[in-house]
Amino acid sequence: MTRRIAVLTTGGVLLVLFGVLGTTLPVPYVAQVPGPTYNTLGDIDGEPIISVEGREPNEVEGNLNLTTVGVSRDRLSLVQAVRGWFDDEVAVVPEESVYPADRTVEETRQANRRAFVTSEQAAESVALGHLGYPEKVVVRGLPEDSPSEGRLQEGDALESVDGRPTPDLAALESVLGSIPPGTDVPVAYTRLGDPGSTTVTTGPAEEGDGSVLGVSVLQQPAAPFDVDIQVEDVGGPSAGLMLTLGILDLVGADDLTGGALVAGTGTIDVDGEVGPIGGIPLKMVAAREIGADLFLVPEDNCEEALAAEDPGFPLAKVATLDDALEALADLRAGRTPAAC
């Protein structure tokens, strides 16, 4: 074998070897891609995303779509990572930025799901507060073997315990702190706008004296109807703004979309402040694919949104819920919303 043939043979073998390794050797990166969008005014598998009990929801047209980002569960191969870096609809990110090293994939999924549930609660609180409903102590859940099982329900507003008013969490804590465990106490509540009462045998407090009703509660605006949100396959807090708008469209006085297809993203806190999120360019791609007329962008994401490819629809800058409502009013009136 001549030296030239030997070199060519060796080079060919190495090229094949590197090709095989490139397609099979994992690198510590994962891919993010445009995820599905969900119309908060619509259904998933025949079940409404936002359901209202205790009153008829408004008849609405148009869309208020929350946007998501899909993430690969497995590491990319070297070839996949290189391809992703040159694809505008794929973001190649370090694995630890999505799946922290101190958590399993399942633990990360559960943490993201908890963040979504928290955003649901914030969305409901902000929407009902915007509509002017007063704050009360509201039951948010009952654990297994709760002494209140069968007596209180999620959504009940606690009016008094043992005959003493409980207008806020501090008052409820004070009342329960003075009641020995095992005491039968009358509890007055409001359920879907109607007053009611029951008797609960209190359980022992985990710390210190006093007792508990065995319910988790939040201090939040309480309406004479109940709002329930069901989106099983979404995690993280970034749907907060769109869920808030969906609730307002279904139970408020205004038609928010005027029949338009609006998409968006952003966290929301109890003060109505809209916070930044990750994956804004990918969410814009998802909005473009469904033919969005307007995209609501958290103010702190505007620079990143403007650096992405022009999606073909306006980007409305929102820092608060009021900004989002003003942008929607501008859209209905044919005006250009305040842009990034």
Side-chain angles (χ1 to χ4, degrees), residues 32 91 276-284 297-309 315 340:
Q32 294 181 329
I277 49 78
I280 194 79
L282 301 176
K283 293 181 176 183
M284 290 165 55
V297 182
E299 182 178 37
D300 290 344
N301 285 123
C302 271
E303 183 176 352
E304 184 182 8
L306 290 173
E309 181 182 350
L315 302 176
C340 280

Side-chain angles (χ1 to χ4, degrees), residues 150-208:
R151 293 171 171 80
L152 296 174
Q153 297 180 11
E154 183 176 343
D156 288 350
L158 303 181
E159 305 291 352
S160 68
V161 174
D162 199 26
R164 288 175 278 178
T166 53
D168 52 42
L169 293 174
L172 177 63
E173 183 178 351
S174 176
V175 170
L176 290 174
S178 65
I179 298 174
T183 302
D184 293 338
V185 296
V187 178
Y189 58 83
T190 301
R191 179 178 298 165
L192 301 180
D194 296 324
S197 62
T198 188
T199 298
V200 176
T201 303
T202 62
E206 292 185 2
E207 297 181 2

Side-chain angles (χ1 to χ4, degrees), residues 68-88:
T68 68
V69 172
V71 184
S72 61
R73 292 179 64 94
D74 300 321
R75 287 183 172 185
L76 301 176
S77 69
L78 180 59
V79 169
Q80 289 173 325
V82 172
R83 286 176 179 169
W85 279 319
F86 291 96
D87 189 334
D88 291 337

Side-chain angles (χ1 to χ4, degrees), residues 12 51 66 169 264 276:
S51 58
L66 64 89
L169 293 174

Side-chain angles (χ1 to χ4, degrees), residues 83-172:
R83 286 176 179 169
W85 279 319
F86 291 96
D87 189 334
D88 291 337
E89 297 188 8
V90 177
V92 177
V93 298
E95 181 183 34
E96 63 182 12
S97 69
V98 178
Y99 303 116
D102 58 347
R103 291 180 183 171
T104 66
V105 171
E106 179 59 23
E107 287 172 340
T108 298
R109 188 195 69 80
Q110 291 176 356
N112 287 337
R113 186 60 192 167
R114 288 193 296 270
F116 182 83
V117 171
T118 299
S119 75
E120 289 181 358
Q121 296 170 345
E124 181 179 350
S125 181
V126 172
L128 297 183
H130 179 82
L131 294 173
Y133 291 105
E135 282 199 353
K136 296 187 178 183
V137 177
V138 179
V139 176
R140 299 305 307 178
L142 289 81
E144 292 184 8
D145 301 323
S146 167
S148 294
E149 182 68 36
R151 293 171 171 80
L152 296 174
Q153 297 180 11
E154 183 176 343
D156 288 350
L158 303 181
E159 305 291 352
S160 68
V161 174
D162 199 26
R164 288 175 278 178
T166 53
D168 52 42
L169 293 174
L172 177 63

Side-chain angles (χ1 to χ4, degrees), residues 1-22:
M1 182 181 297
T2 66
R3 177 175 295 181
R4 180 177 181 181
I5 293 175
V7 169
L8 290 175
T9 301
T10 302
V13 171
L14 290 175
L15 185 61
V16 170
L17 178 61
F18 288 143
V20 171
L21 289 176

